Amino acid sequence: MSNNTTLPKFTNLIQLMQYFSDENVCLQHLKEMRWANGVYCPHCGCMKVYSFTDGKRYKCSDCRKQFTAKVGSIFENTKIPLQKWFVAIYLISSHKKGISSLQLAKDLGITQKNAWFLLHRLRHASNTSAFNAPLSNTVEADETYIGGKEKNKHKSKKTEGTQGRSTKTKTPVLAVVERGGLIKAAKSENVDSKAIGKFITNNVVLGSTLMTDEYRIYQTIKWLYKHNYVKHGAGEYVVNDCHTNTLEGFFSLLKRSIVGIYHFVSAKHLDNYLNEATFRYNSKDWTEHDRFNMLLSATAGKRLTYQSLIANS
Ligand SMILES: [Zn+2]
């Protein structure tokens, strides 16, 4: 990420809005974030481009197409001013539990449909490669289930055998977190030793210390790690430094956001909500300024159409 931008350090929304006072200032900042190493054509990658005197448009010397800094990013073809997008980036990245499309629509003066689409595009962008490094040292692994609570459903709608660990009405989420480090979480079709093994070995350096509960599927990869576990079934939650409390805290915040703010999350969009939640966790110690720029710099190459969002998967 480039820190060589003209955006002064800001610590609150008022300062952000004072700086991004019009569309042109926003576009200039977007250019600085996207093209820190020089302008290139988003259509073909060519670096020989001509700039127009309006300071906004460019033309590629190779494919001859015109473009602005918005082309090839989540901002392509948007009718919402960049200033509103930038405020949304601030809100989504700094509010601990996120923001609902209803609230964002009111705050920005846009329709809820536009706010919903805007939030999904930002969640899509928040799946940044900045947090791709594998985890090591001491890592907690656990799984949770997102979906309708069986006990709140009418008796006739209840599904047999859905108490606790079941994938019949809920979507499983697997997660690992390094103590004092990054978190990774992903939706999973199944919760079996194959799915868990693949997720953990893809994300955690072999030989690390792994903390789990006693669920037997974690036993199948124990020879790859220094495995410690607590027996939740026997009332054990913390034994010396062995616990999964960091992940329990993350899951609890995730569920409260989903129930309290988003009300409902379909399995189709769950990955996007996980992108948002893990981005927020992984950037929690960053300044507002750095978090904003990180999410903004991740918007390039992430075009997401409304059709693909609403299509049945
Ligand atoms: Zn080109």
Side-chain angles (χ1 to χ4, degrees):
M1 185 176 69
S2 162
N3 286 316
N4 277 335
T5 69
T6 44
L7 173 65
K9 292 275 177 213
F10 66 88
T11 53
N12 61 53
L13 183 56
I14 299 292
Q15 290 170 344
L16 180 87
M17 292 186 71
Q18 279 169 344
Y19 181 76
F20 292 115
S21 56
D22 67 44
E23 186 75 3
N24 206 27
V25 181
C26 296
L27 193 64
Q28 292 308 314
H29 185 64
L30 189 60
K31 272 164 56 177
E32 289 175 6
M33 294 307 300
R34 270 197 87 175
W35 294 320
N37 301 316
V39 182
Y40 60 88
C41 170
H43 302 289
C44 72
C46 173
M47 289 199 74
K48 192 168 175 229
V49 297
Y50 310 107
S51 50
F52 283 71
T53 49
D54 63 7
K56 297 174 189 169
R57 284 177 303 144
Y58 296 87
K59 186 172 180 178
C60 176
S61 70
D62 193 0
C63 73
R64 316 297 293 172
K65 287 179 183 156
Q66 289 188 23
F67 58 90
T68 69
K70 293 201 270 188
V71 172
S73 77
I74 64 166
F75 307 115
E76 186 168 344
N77 296 330
T78 183
K79 292 186 175 65
I80 297 168
L82 283 176
Q83 191 190 36
K84 293 191 179 193
W85 275 100
F86 285 12
V87 171
I89 290 176
Y90 178 90
L91 295 176
I92 198 178
S93 64
S94 67
H95 281 202
K96 207 176 165 198
K97 285 196 263 175
I99 185 164
S100 71
S101 56
L102 191 65
Q103 185 63 50
L104 189 69
K106 283 182 187 163
D107 287 350
L108 295 184
I110 59 178
T111 65
Q112 196 190 349
K113 183 181 162 181
N114 277 337
W116 182 86
F117 187 30
L118 183 153
L119 282 173
H120 266 297
R121 281 195 278 184
L122 289 180
R123 288 183 190 118
H124 181 60
S126 66
N127 183 19
T128 161
S129 59
F131 304 124
N132 271 359
L135 311 185
S136 58
N137 302 310
T138 300
V139 176
E140 297 175 21
D142 202 1
E143 81 291 338
T144 194
Y145 296 82
I146 304 287
K149 267 206 170 91
E150 282 298 309
K151 71 180 171 74
N152 294 337
K153 290 184 186 172
H154 187 267
K155 209 174 172 189
S156 64
K157 297 261 175 69
K158 286 187 184 176
T159 316
E160 288 293 315
T162 52
Q163 296 308 307
R165 286 168 156 134
S166 168
T167 57
K168 283 183 184 167
T169 60
K170 301 173 183 182
T171 308
V173 169
L174 312 181
V176 281
V177 63
E178 181 173 327
R179 296 257 174 93
L182 301 178
I183 201 164
K184 288 159 190 274
K187 182 173 82 177
S188 182
E189 291 291 314
N190 301 301
V191 181
D192 53 22
S193 47
K194 194 177 165 194
I196 296 249
K198 192 175 170 198
F199 177 74
I200 294 180
T201 52
N202 276 348
N203 288 295
V204 183
V205 173
L206 298 184
S208 306
T209 300
L210 198 64
M211 307 286 190
T212 72
D213 63 20
E214 75 275 34
Y215 195 26
R216 61 183 160 69
I217 50 173
Y218 292 106
Q219 302 291 334
T220 57
I221 48 163
K222 64 181 178 186
W223 61 84
L224 301 172
Y225 298 96
K226 298 180 197 88
H227 187 214
N228 290 308
Y229 61 94
V230 281
K231 294 173 182 163
H232 284 172
E236 280 182 13
Y237 286 90
V238 182
V239 179
N240 298 322
D241 68 338
C242 182
H243 60 79
T244 54
N245 291 354
T246 318
L247 275 185
E248 305 277 341
F250 174 78
F251 288 152
S252 136
L253 193 61
L254 177 71
K255 287 176 183 176
R256 269 184 285 146
S257 301
I258 287 171
V259 174
I261 300 196
Y262 307 121
H263 308 300
F264 174 74
V265 172
S266 65
K268 174 173 162 34
H269 295 305
L270 185 57
D271 276 335
N272 258 341
Y273 287 96
L274 290 174
N275 287 343
E276 178 191 340
T278 51
F279 178 91
R280 202 178 287 119
Y281 181 94
N282 289 336
S283 65
K284 66 185 176 349
D285 299 326
W286 296 25
T287 64
E288 303 287 352
H289 183 272
D290 287 348
R291 202 186 295 122
F292 173 85
N293 274 338
M294 161 60 85
L295 188 46
L296 190 60
S297 65
T299 59
K302 294 276 183 61
R303 226 184 138 221
L304 180 68
T305 64
Y306 187 67
Q307 275 64 32
S308 72
L309 255 183
I310 59 170
N312 291 323
S313 50

